[in-house]
Amino acid sequence: MIQIKDLSKIYTTKERVVKGVDNVSLNITTGEVFGIVGYSGAGKSSLIRCLNLLEKPTSGEIKIDGLNLMKLRGRKLRQARLKIGMIFQHFHLISQKTIYENIAFALRAAKTPASQINKRVTELLEMVGLADKRDVYPAQLSGGQKQRVGIARALANNPSVLLCDEATSALDPNTTLSILRLLKKINKELKITIVLITHEMNVVKEICDRMAIMQDGKVIEEGAVYDIFSGPKEELTKEFISSVVSFDVPSAILNKCTGRIVKVMYKGDVAGEGIISDTVQQYNIKGNFLHGSIEYIQEIPLGIFLMELQGDNQEVEKAISYMSSRASLVEVIDHGN
């Protein structure tokens, strides 16, 4: 369990005082993948760097497995940090060292006995799929391969927590997906808690269990990823979700619509039911699909559709009422001409 309580980080310059993290409290459950989302300047990088005290918080508490990091000093703090691995956006590999040496460096820094280093590095290279790259240098690797080395290095000392600071932002979409799948595999097999910061909702949708949205140093919304995708409360959250699930219909098409335009949302198993087809068959209306899709979040379907309903007003009202009784949400967004 990671417990963050009333955490603040204030940066002071000659010109002004900036609250990078503003009184944030979060509980992250052992073994989950927790996403922290926000635009540049939202405070998410400051928050994650406070978790291993790369940035010293101005105030508040950080407890990992019951240990208050804010009260540790010297050797005890260094030992606690060994249980917190971190991977970065730009890899931070040592260009003059081979892949083997990059990973071994983390073990030597932790004073791992020399007799154990070769076995551990070999295990890690196999885990991240780079067993054949042990003697090459970072310049000879692709971006995705470099990040795999970064992951192996972060796992070297068997951490209980893995912090990912925009770990996929420098990668193309296909490579991003492969890295996210590797992180999910590590999370499941090693039971490591992962805290992942990003500005990309596709990343959160792919592997996170829960998430928090940050703005101006504060957490403005928090919850299970599925719940936030299916029922966002804050405007910023809705903006982020629209980057993944977009339902903008061209105005030229909307201008041709004469019926009522409704938004229909299905959650869970309901998304697989034929609600719309049942509605059109039971009532004397015509239904035209304008836009829609079914997303799978944590393997649970979330369906959202925009459609135009044409016909007698009473029949349309009955159809909307029927859909409302079966769907999670039915919202009339245009009453037609």
Side-chain angles (χ1 to χ4, degrees):
M1 168 78 78
I2 301 173
Q3 296 170 293
I4 304 167
K5 184 178 179 182
D6 302 328
L7 193 73
S8 292
K9 174 61 182 178
I10 298 174
Y11 300 94
T12 303
T13 67
K14 292 181 179 180
E15 293 79 21
R16 58 179 180 156
V17 174
V18 178
K19 285 188 176 181
V21 181
D22 190 359
N23 199 40
V24 166
S25 295
L26 288 171
N27 287 329
I28 299 171
T29 304
T30 300
E32 76 175 337
V33 182
F34 191 92
I36 300 174
V37 182
Y39 288 125
S40 178
K44 59 189 189 299
S45 288
S46 293
L47 175 59
I48 203 170
R49 290 171 70 86
C50 282
L51 293 186
N52 60 0
L53 270 63
L54 283 178
E55 295 272 7
K56 186 177 179 181
T58 305
S59 61
E61 286 187 354
I62 301 168
K63 290 184 179 180
I64 296 181
D65 296 331
L67 194 62
N68 191 342
L69 299 188
M70 298 286 285
K71 293 183 178 180
L72 301 181
R73 298 290 183 274
R75 186 172 65 87
K76 288 185 177 180
L77 178 57
R78 289 193 294 273
Q79 288 178 333
R81 279 176 168 160
L82 289 177
K83 292 301 178 182
I84 308 171
M86 190 164 188
I87 59 176
F88 304 89
Q89 177 180 358
H90 296 297
F91 322 127
H92 295 325
L93 302 181
I94 304 170
S95 59
Q96 297 85 3
K97 292 183 180 292
T98 65
I99 301 314
Y100 178 95
E101 291 166 340
N102 265 273
I103 300 169
F105 181 81
L107 292 162
R108 294 191 182 102
K111 302 189 185 306
T112 302
S115 60
Q116 298 176 17
I117 289 177
N118 182 65
K119 180 183 178 183
R120 181 61 178 155
V121 174
T122 301
E123 289 173 351
L124 291 164
L125 286 171
E126 289 176 354
M127 184 184 300
V128 300
L130 293 177
D132 61 334
K133 303 294 183 182
R134 59 183 286 145
D135 297 321
V136 306
Y137 289 85
Q140 298 170 267
L141 300 181
S142 66
Q145 290 171 328
K146 289 177 183 177
Q147 195 57 285
R148 287 173 181 266
V149 178
I151 292 170
R153 181 183 57 190
L155 296 175
N157 294 299
N158 294 304
S160 59
V161 175
L162 182 61
L163 306 179
C164 304
D165 188 358
E166 296 279 9
T168 60
S169 294
L171 306 176
D172 64 74
N174 286 336
T175 306
T176 290
L177 186 59
S178 72
I179 293 297
L180 293 178
R181 287 174 175 168
L182 174 59
L183 289 173
K184 192 66 174 178
K185 179 174 180 283
I186 289 166
N187 166 254
K188 294 297 184 186
E189 293 183 359
L190 303 182
K191 311 300 181 188
I192 292 178
T193 304
I194 296 179
V195 183
L196 183 150
I197 71 165
T198 183
H199 60 275
E200 300 171 293
M201 288 297 282
N202 266 323
V203 169
V204 174
K205 173 177 169 285
E206 183 66 30
I207 69 166
C208 291
D209 302 304
R210 291 194 306 125
M211 64 182 292
I213 305 286
M214 287 191 72
Q215 183 178 33
D216 299 327
K218 296 178 179 291
V219 170
I220 63 169
E221 192 162 354
E222 175 195 355
V225 171
Y226 189 92
D227 293 341
I228 287 181
F229 265 80
S230 61
K233 296 178 176 61
E234 300 294 329
E235 286 304 314
L236 180 61
T237 311
K238 294 175 183 177
E239 184 178 319
F240 271 114
I241 290 172
S242 69
S243 68
V244 178
V245 185
S246 177
F247 292 97
D248 293 331
V249 180
S251 57
I253 293 178
L254 289 177
N255 290 338
K256 294 179 181 178
C257 294
T258 57
R260 242 175 285 193
I261 299 173
V262 296
K263 176 182 177 181
V264 186
M265 177 186 289
Y266 312 110
K267 297 181 185 179
D269 293 338
V270 176
E273 297 179 4
I275 298 174
I276 292 177
S277 60
D278 290 348
T279 303
V280 174
Q281 290 175 14
Q282 290 190 39
Y283 299 94
N284 187 25
I285 61 167
K286 181 180 178 182
N288 298 319
F289 278 105
L290 302 176
H291 203 344
S293 70
I294 296 179
E295 300 287 338
Y296 287 86
I297 303 165
Q298 300 296 306
E299 299 183 359
I300 304 172
L302 173 65
I304 307 177
F305 298 90
L306 287 182
M307 60 185 302
E308 177 191 17
L309 299 180
Q310 294 178 327
D312 177 78
N313 280 338
Q314 287 188 334
E315 285 294 293
V316 170
E317 287 289 348
K318 289 178 183 178
I320 292 174
S321 178
Y322 174 73
M323 286 193 294
S324 297
S325 70
R326 292 185 60 186
S328 302
L329 171 71
V330 176
E331 177 186 357
V332 179
I333 61 176
D334 193 307
H335 287 272
N337 298 329

